[in-house]
Amino acid sequence: MSPSAIRQRKLYEDVAERLEQRIAGGDFAPSDPLPSERELMETYGVGRPAVREALFHLQKLGLVELRSGTRARVTRPTPQSVMDGLSVTARHMLSSPDGIQNFQNVRIFFEAGLARHAALHATEEDIADFEAALEDNRATLGDFAAFERTDVAFHYVLAIIPRNPIFTAIHAAFAEWLHEQRKTTLAPGVDKISYAAHKAIFEAVAARDPDGAERAMRDHLGYVSRRYALVSEVQ
């Protein structure tokens, strides 16, 4: 196909676009059932395969819910459903030669910002929750499976502080996508290094030191990134 050629749209794409417009326009509210497949076939003059593909497409977008034996229902997209929809694409990107490094760099950028925000805006209750997560992390030193779990929980507290569900969804996605990296980098002694880094991050946040909090987070995740690269080379 030449660069200037126009790709012919598929029927299901037209059906999905029209349904999406009707949902956005308020013809169907969240939890409302859509017309039956037969009604949609008659309305848009297409066959059942085009209708079903359109509904599957809208499901991937988080706009409809499909259940066997019932009509499709309109749903409201959530940050988590959006991130879930990116998982397949993310895994393909992770498998590319620079995939892990690219995701690590994005994580550093994201979490350094969260640490800075926490130092500036965390409430006393947030600080208490952060300290409790740090203590849970300390208590699991030597138990790699438990340490990995409390590691994720420690970073999760920072994602909660902005009170923005998109941030917690992004955090959950990175925790899933970089799960193998966490497992690979853990080794005897490394958990103590990670805990010390977590302690430095907490202390900077508790001291209301945004520059120190951001620097501590960058140092921590930079070390994790370098260690993963080293271990991967050996393997």
Side-chain angles (χ1 to χ4, degrees):
M1 181 181 293
S2 67
S4 59
I6 297 176
R7 183 180 70 87
Q8 185 175 357
R9 283 166 59 92
K10 296 181 179 178
L11 283 177
Y12 87 86
E13 293 175 315
D14 289 328
V15 175
E17 182 178 337
R18 294 188 188 187
L19 284 172
E20 184 177 353
Q21 289 172 349
R22 293 183 66 184
I23 292 170
D27 289 352
F28 304 107
S31 79
D32 281 353
L34 290 179
S36 68
E37 289 185 358
R38 182 167 296 281
E39 289 175 299
L40 291 173
M41 290 164 57
E42 294 173 355
T43 298
Y44 299 117
V46 297
R48 193 178 300 276
V51 168
R52 289 186 171 175
E53 284 190 68
L55 294 176
F56 281 129
H57 177 73
L58 294 176
Q59 181 185 43
K60 290 179 182 178
L61 297 178
L63 294 176
V64 303
E65 177 184 36
L66 301 180
R67 290 185 180 179
S68 179
T70 63
R71 293 187 185 186
R73 286 188 176 275
V74 176
T75 59
R76 190 184 302 278
T78 65
Q80 189 61 56
S81 69
V82 172
M83 297 309 297
D84 288 345
L86 291 174
S87 287
V88 173
T89 301
R91 293 188 188 287
H92 280 293
M93 295 175 71
L94 282 164
S95 66
S96 68
D98 297 323
I100 292 288
Q101 186 62 56
N102 288 337
F103 273 78
Q104 288 172 334
N105 290 340
V106 173
R107 183 190 175 198
I108 291 172
F109 185 86
F110 173 63
E111 295 211 31
L114 288 179
R116 169 173 284 276
H117 182 278
L120 291 170
H121 302 289
T123 65
E124 291 305 315
E125 184 178 354
D126 291 331
I127 298 296
D129 289 343
F130 202 25
E131 186 172 21
L134 177 67
E135 174 56 24
D136 288 343
N137 192 227
R138 185 201 63 76
T140 58
L141 286 169
D143 183 340
F144 292 164
F147 187 85
E148 181 185 358
R149 184 179 67 253
T150 59
D151 182 348
V152 172
F154 175 83
H155 287 269
Y156 180 68
V157 174
L158 290 176
I160 292 174
I161 291 173
R163 310 301 192 263
N164 185 327
I166 295 176
F167 287 170
T168 53
I170 292 173
H171 172 272
F174 272 101
E176 177 191 348
W177 297 338
L178 295 178
H179 170 68
E180 190 59 35
Q181 178 211 45
R182 268 193 171 92
K183 287 182 61 178
T184 302
T185 55
L186 276 177
V190 174
D191 55 345
K192 293 181 179 179
I193 294 173
S194 292
Y195 169 73
H198 290 167
K199 189 170 185 287
I201 295 166
F202 167 75
E203 289 175 346
V205 169
R208 308 296 182 180
D209 178 3
D211 290 340
E214 178 177 345
R215 183 170 54 253
M217 182 63 80
R218 287 186 179 278
D219 288 346
H220 170 44
L221 296 183
Y223 167 78
V224 172
S225 178
R226 291 190 299 275
R227 174 165 173 73
Y228 179 79
L230 181 63
V231 173
S232 297
E233 286 179 4
V234 173
Q235 293 177 343

